[in-house]
Amino acid sequence: MPRNFAGLLRSLDGKPYGAYRDAVGAHDVGGGLAVSLDRAQRDPFAPPLPRADEYSRGGCRAPGRCPQ
């Protein structure tokens, strides 16, 4: 079951950068959408991690990015 993403972000507010590792996993963002984070950087000066988008056929409403 995905965790509530907004609640997680509120709990991380004001914590050290390394606390963002707690964000790894699946999170409910509402409206039938979920965000899944595979990794979180430990170093705030490290380059950004690659991003991947995945959509289910029934839930995608992003023009030009939905599976056919």
Side-chain angles (χ1 to χ4, degrees), residues 39-59:
R39 272 183 56 199
Q41 291 285 33
R42 296 176 187 208
D43 178 1
F45 301 105
L49 293 170
R51 184 189 90 190
D53 298 327
E54 293 183 27
Y55 302 98
S56 66
R57 287 181 190 228

Side-chain angles (χ1 to χ4, degrees):
M1 181 72 169
R3 298 179 289 169
N4 179 281
F5 197 51
L8 173 71
L9 293 178
R10 280 191 292 276
S11 75
L12 293 173
D13 189 30
K15 290 189 177 175
Y17 192 83
Y20 282 88
R21 288 177 288 178
D22 292 343
V24 172
H27 309 279
D28 180 18
V29 294
L33 300 175
V35 169
S36 180
L37 303 172
D38 297 326
R39 272 183 56 199
Q41 291 285 33
R42 296 176 187 208
D43 178 1
F45 301 105
L49 293 170
R51 184 189 90 190
D53 298 327
E54 293 183 27
Y55 302 98
S56 66
R57 287 181 190 228
C60 183
R61 290 178 173 67
R65 300 181 82 182
C66 299
Q68 300 299 319

